[in-house]
């Protein structure tokens, strides 16, 4: 989709548009003035790797290997859009096993656990010199190889998003939007990044402009971030225009930001890149700058840690894989009875089943509230059909209809009601006078729908395999009948020829056929013996390689033991 010059001119006039619905909850941004601190290295690092490995990726380390900060631990398939994961500190790989992941269900996934050695040795940085004159393919490859993903919460692969936009609009993208709204209550990590790293973010925007060549570049910030607006205005004087949006939740959602700054509504079944619009979070832009200019992979992120159950609230740069327990213990958690720990903000976050889960790229906040700060949900009652949820839904859905269909396990009707268009913003649950847990039910329904979809895909593949098998068997039967017919014709022709031969000629023909059969049998036997010898040689070679690898690993273990004993 190519926007007309009239549309682009209208967008460039800096008019602010309104999106449907939305609410104005209490902001709770107590850490706006808290400078970003560096958290010390934890005693264990646990890095989830399933979304960085894929179905046919390669694991590059084994238990007992010594790794450095920034070292690549996984290598996804080249055709996959997945990005590798990197070690967030130096140490020894202590295990590769299933661990509990940060999810409401508390399910487990494959993780690499690293025992830090305390030295925090890093691989050599590899910045791209003179990146302004490099091809965008090189820049995109670096963004992917250094593990840059969406840091705003979705954790979508940044290289895949940018490549999709480049394929849709090879010459020039219409609009590049940098999302600095951070509308979720309590979270201030992006606010602090804009205050402290405005120059670096500006350099990241330049890199994105080099890749996308946008016609208009906009940085969207809510009007409750005065210091961030001042810092970004000074840093972006000739790079991008700043749009100050009214504070309203959920302005920070991608489609709502696009609507607010351009007036364009992107259908939920379409990608924003199809309209020539690319949107990236400020933390993601900073990671792009660090990957290309500094040559540093993504090994940490800034997390807001807040809540009245903590002695101290802060914005902290945390190594990826650090446990939530370690993070809270360093800020003085004073737990109350049945203490809740929420991963994410109070609107879109969820209560953790255990605090022994790692921080990942998508986690921007850890909230430890008291009952007075965020009261527990009251017991829900029946829906009174007041329509408040429908009035505040930014996706123009009717949440109480989706809820009733989901509770009745009517998944097809729930899909028609628009469950896939729901962004799980939590606005409907916030205004519900019956205290119905709408968002929690929708999160569950989305998981069920995904499970159903995966089952349908597996069934379709199984059905296709059966059809392919039937076709193959049919083809083999046809070929078998054809060979049989040819053999019968050959036998018939041979008998006719033998009938015309004299006894001496017949005896010679049979002797010749016997010699040819013996020669063919001998050749087959020699080929079989040669194959067996090759297999034996390859097995001997593999055994030698295994013993050599074992010897090297023992030597490496001794070196590590000597290194740690100093």
């Amino acid at each position: 989709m190519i926007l007309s010059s009239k549309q682009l001119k209208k967008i460039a006039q800096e008019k602010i548009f309104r999106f449907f619905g939305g609410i104005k909850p209490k902001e709770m941004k107590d850490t706006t003035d808290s400078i970003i601190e560096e958290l010390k290295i934890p005693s264990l690092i646990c890095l989830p790797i399933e979304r960085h490995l894929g179905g046919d990726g390669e694991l590059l380390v084994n238990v007992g290997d010594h790794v450095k900060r920034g070292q690549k631990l996984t290598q996804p398939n080249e055709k996959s859009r997945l990005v590798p994961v990197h070690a967030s500190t130096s140490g020894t790989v202590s295990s590769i096993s299933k661990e509990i992941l940060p999810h409401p269900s508390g399910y487990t996934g494959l993780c690499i656990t690293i025992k830090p050695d305390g030295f925090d040795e890093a691989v050599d940085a590899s910045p791209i010199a003179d990146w302004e004159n490099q091809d965008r393919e090189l820049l995109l490859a670096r963004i992917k190889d250094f593990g840059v993903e969406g840091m705003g919460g979705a954790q979508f692969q940044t290289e895949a998003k940018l490549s999709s936009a480049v394929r849709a609009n090879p010459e020039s993208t219409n609009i590049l939007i940098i999302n600095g709204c951070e509308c979720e209550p309590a979270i201030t990590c992006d606010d602090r990044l804009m205050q402290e790293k405005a120059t670096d973010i500006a350099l990241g925007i330049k890199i994105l402009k080099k890749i996308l060549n946008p016609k208009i570049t906009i940085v969207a910030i809510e009007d409750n971030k005065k210091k961030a607006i001042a810092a970004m205005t000074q840093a972006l004087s000739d790079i991008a225009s700043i749009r100050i949006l009214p504070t309203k939740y959920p302005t920070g959602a991608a489609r709502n930001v696009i609507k607010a700054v351009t007036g364009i509504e992107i259908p939920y079944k379409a990608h924003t890149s199809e309209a020539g619009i690319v949107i990236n979070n400020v933390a993601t832009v900073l990671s792009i700058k660090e990957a290309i200019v500094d040559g540093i992979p993504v090994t940490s992120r800034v997390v807001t840690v807040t809540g009245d159950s903590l002695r101290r609230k802060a914005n902290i740069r945390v190594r990826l894989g650090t446990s939530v327990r370690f993070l809270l213990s360093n800020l003085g958690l004073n737990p109350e009875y049945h203490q809740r720990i929420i991963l994410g903000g109070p609107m879109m976050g969820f209560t953790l089943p255990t605090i022994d889960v790692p921080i990942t790229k998508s986690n921007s906040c850890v909230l430890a509230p008291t009952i007075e700060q965020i009261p527990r949900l009251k017991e829900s009652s029946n829906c009174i059909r007041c329509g408040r949820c429908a009035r505040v839904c930014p996706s123009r859905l009717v949440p109480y209809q989706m809820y009733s269909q989901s509770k009745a396990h009517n998944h097809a009707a729930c899909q028609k009601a628009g469950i896939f268009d729901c962004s799980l913003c939590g606005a409907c649950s916030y205004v519900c006078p019956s205290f119905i847990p709408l968002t929690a039910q929708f999160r569950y329904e989305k998981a069920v729908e995904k499970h159903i979809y995966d089952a349908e895909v597996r069934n379709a593949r199984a059905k296709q395999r059966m059809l392919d098998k039937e076709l193959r068997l049919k083809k083999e039967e046809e070929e078998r009948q054809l060979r049989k017919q040819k053999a019968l014709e050959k036998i018939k022709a041979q008998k006719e020829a033998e009938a015309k031969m004299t006894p001496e000629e017949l005896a010679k023909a049979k002797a010749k056929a016997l010699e040819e059969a013996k020669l063919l049998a001998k050749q087959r036997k020699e080929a079989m013996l040669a194959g067996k010898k090759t297999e034996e040689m390859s097995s001997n070679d593999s055994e030698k390689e295994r013993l050599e690898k074992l010897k090297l690993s023992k030597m490496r273990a001794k070196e590590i033991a000597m290194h740690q004993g100093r």
Side-chain angles (χ1 to χ4, degrees):
M1 176 180 176
I2 300 176
L3 298 180
S4 65
S5 57
K6 186 176 180 180
Q7 287 176 301
L8 292 171
K9 186 177 180 181
K10 184 179 178 181
I11 293 168
Q13 290 175 352
E14 301 189 2
K15 180 181 177 180
I16 303 300
F17 300 86
R18 294 179 61 186
F19 62 88
F20 183 83
I23 56 175
K24 292 188 177 182
K26 186 179 177 181
E27 293 184 6
M28 301 167 57
K29 294 184 182 288
D30 304 327
T31 54
T32 300
D33 297 324
S34 301
I35 62 172
I36 298 173
E37 306 172 21
E38 186 81 24
L39 185 69
K40 62 182 181 180
I41 301 172
S43 57
L44 280 178
I45 291 286
C46 181
L47 296 167
I49 61 173
E50 285 187 345
R51 67 171 287 114
H52 301 281
L53 198 59
D56 51 0
E58 182 183 0
L59 196 60
L60 302 180
V61 293
N62 293 313
V63 175
D65 290 352
H66 185 268
V67 296
K68 295 182 178 181
R69 174 164 53 87
Q71 181 178 332
K72 195 184 295 185
L73 304 180
T74 63
Q75 182 60 59
N77 189 295
E78 290 184 1
K79 297 181 180 179
S80 169
R81 70 182 186 188
L82 300 179
V83 302
V85 66
H86 301 79
S88 53
T89 188
S90 62
T92 306
V93 177
S94 60
S95 69
I96 302 174
S97 57
K98 295 272 187 177
E99 304 291 344
I100 299 175
L101 299 181
H103 191 270
S105 65
Y107 78 100
T108 60
L110 191 63
C111 298
I112 294 177
T113 303
I114 299 173
K115 175 69 176 175
D117 56 14
F119 296 104
D120 198 29
E121 296 177 281
V123 297
D124 295 334
S126 55
I128 297 179
D130 193 23
W131 60 266
E132 298 94 334
N133 298 321
Q134 301 294 336
D135 294 335
R136 60 185 176 190
E137 287 75 16
L138 175 64
L139 302 180
L140 288 170
R142 168 57 64 90
I143 289 171
K144 179 178 181 179
D145 197 46
F146 274 44
V148 180
E149 293 181 289
M151 310 283 270
Q155 202 176 339
F156 190 81
Q157 294 77 18
T158 302
E159 182 271 340
K161 180 191 290 187
L162 298 177
S163 297
S164 175
V166 169
R167 286 193 298 270
N169 303 276
E171 297 298 327
S172 176
T173 300
N174 290 323
I175 305 168
L176 170 63
I177 300 175
I178 307 303
N179 187 356
C181 293
E182 199 172 44
C183 60
E184 178 85 17
I187 306 178
T188 60
C189 55
D190 286 352
D191 187 1
R192 287 309 307 179
L193 283 176
M194 288 187 287
Q195 291 183 48
E196 299 181 28
K197 302 284 187 180
T199 306
D200 292 338
I201 293 171
L203 189 51
I205 294 173
K206 284 185 178 179
I207 296 170
L208 286 175
K209 291 179 71 174
K210 162 69 177 175
I211 295 172
L212 299 172
N213 189 26
K215 297 171 183 174
I216 300 175
T217 304
I218 300 169
V219 178
I221 310 174
E222 282 191 341
D223 57 12
N224 60 351
K225 301 173 179 61
K226 305 295 183 185
K227 294 181 180 179
I229 292 170
M232 293 295 284
T233 301
Q234 184 177 357
L236 299 173
S237 56
D238 300 324
I239 300 172
S241 63
I242 293 181
R243 298 291 169 84
I244 303 173
L245 306 180
T247 301
K248 184 181 179 182
Y249 180 83
T251 303
R255 283 172 169 78
N256 295 340
V257 176
I258 293 171
K259 172 65 177 177
V261 300
T262 68
I264 298 171
E265 290 195 29
I266 306 294
Y268 278 85
K269 292 183 179 179
H271 293 290
T272 57
S273 58
E274 294 177 7
I277 300 174
V278 177
I279 180 166
N280 274 299
N281 176 266
V282 290
T284 309
V285 176
L286 181 61
S287 297
I288 291 172
K289 178 263 175 185
E290 291 174 347
I292 291 176
V293 178
D294 302 331
I296 301 172
V298 180
T299 59
S300 64
R301 71 152 297 140
V302 178
V303 177
T304 299
V305 188
T306 184
D308 290 347
S309 292
L310 296 168
R311 294 192 185 94
R312 188 168 67 88
K313 305 171 185 178
N315 292 300
I316 300 184
R317 182 167 286 278
V318 182
R319 304 297 177 98
L320 298 178
T322 301
S323 74
V324 174
R325 182 185 294 276
F326 182 82
L327 185 59
L328 294 173
S329 65
N330 277 270
L331 291 176
L333 175 65
N334 185 21
E336 61 182 9
Y337 183 66
H338 285 175
Q339 175 67 54
R340 290 168 298 165
I341 301 299
I342 299 172
L343 192 63
M347 297 299 297
M348 294 188 70
F350 55 88
T351 302
L352 286 171
T354 174
I355 59 174
D356 293 314
V357 295
I359 295 293
T360 63
K361 296 174 189 175
S362 62
N363 305 140
S364 57
C365 179
V366 176
L367 181 61
T370 58
I371 294 178
E372 291 76 18
Q373 186 181 17
I374 301 180
R376 293 186 180 276
L377 282 176
K378 298 179 181 179
E379 186 176 352
S380 61
S381 56
N382 291 332
C383 176
I384 61 174
R385 297 295 193 273
C386 65
R388 292 185 189 179
C389 55
R391 288 195 293 272
V392 301
C393 178
S395 301
R396 301 176 187 268
L397 303 175
V398 185
Y400 66 83
Q401 287 185 356
M402 291 197 303
Y403 180 82
S404 60
Q405 298 293 356
S406 177
K407 291 294 286 185
H409 304 290
N410 193 346
H411 305 299
C414 198
Q415 285 186 30
K416 290 181 180 179
I419 187 65
F420 291 132
D421 297 344
C422 175
S423 60
L424 300 176
C425 67
C428 52
S429 297
Y430 183 82
V431 300
C432 180
S434 298
F435 305 104
I436 299 173
L438 296 165
T439 307
Q441 182 64 33
F442 297 156
R443 185 181 285 116
Y444 165 79
E445 180 64 28
K446 279 176 173 278
V448 172
E449 296 284 0
K450 185 177 184 303
H451 178 75
I452 293 172
Y453 173 77
D454 291 342
E456 289 176 351
V457 170
R458 288 195 300 270
N459 292 339
R461 287 175 179 170
K463 186 177 180 180
Q464 186 62 43
R465 284 198 299 270
M466 291 300 296
L467 291 174
D468 293 343
K469 182 181 178 181
E470 290 177 2
L471 290 173
R472 177 172 54 81
L473 292 175
K474 184 178 179 181
K475 185 177 180 181
E476 288 176 356
E477 181 62 27
E478 290 175 353
E479 291 175 352
R480 193 179 298 111
Q481 293 296 331
L482 184 61
R483 288 197 300 271
K484 183 178 179 181
Q485 184 179 355
K486 288 182 178 179
L488 291 173
E489 291 176 355
K490 185 178 178 180
I491 292 170
K492 184 179 178 181
Q494 187 177 357
K495 287 182 177 180
E496 290 177 354
E498 288 177 355
K500 297 177 181 178
M501 291 182 183
T502 62
E504 293 80 7
E505 291 174 342
L506 182 60
K508 287 182 181 180
K510 286 183 178 180
K512 184 180 178 182
L514 183 60
E515 288 296 327
E516 289 176 354
K518 287 181 179 180
L519 181 62
L520 185 60
K522 185 178 179 181
Q523 290 175 351
R524 288 178 180 173
K525 186 176 180 180
E526 290 174 352
M528 288 176 64
L529 292 173
K532 286 183 180 180
K533 287 181 180 179
T534 305
E535 289 178 4
E536 289 176 0
M537 290 175 64
S538 62
S539 64
N540 291 334
D541 292 341
S542 62
E543 183 67 19
K544 289 179 182 178
E545 290 176 3
R546 190 184 69 80
L547 292 172
E548 190 68 25
K549 190 174 182 181
L550 183 61
K551 185 178 178 181
L552 290 173
S553 64
K554 286 182 179 179
M555 291 174 63
R556 184 60 180 163
K558 289 180 181 179
E559 290 176 4
I560 293 169
M562 292 175 65
H563 180 69
Q564 292 178 342
R566 289 175 183 172

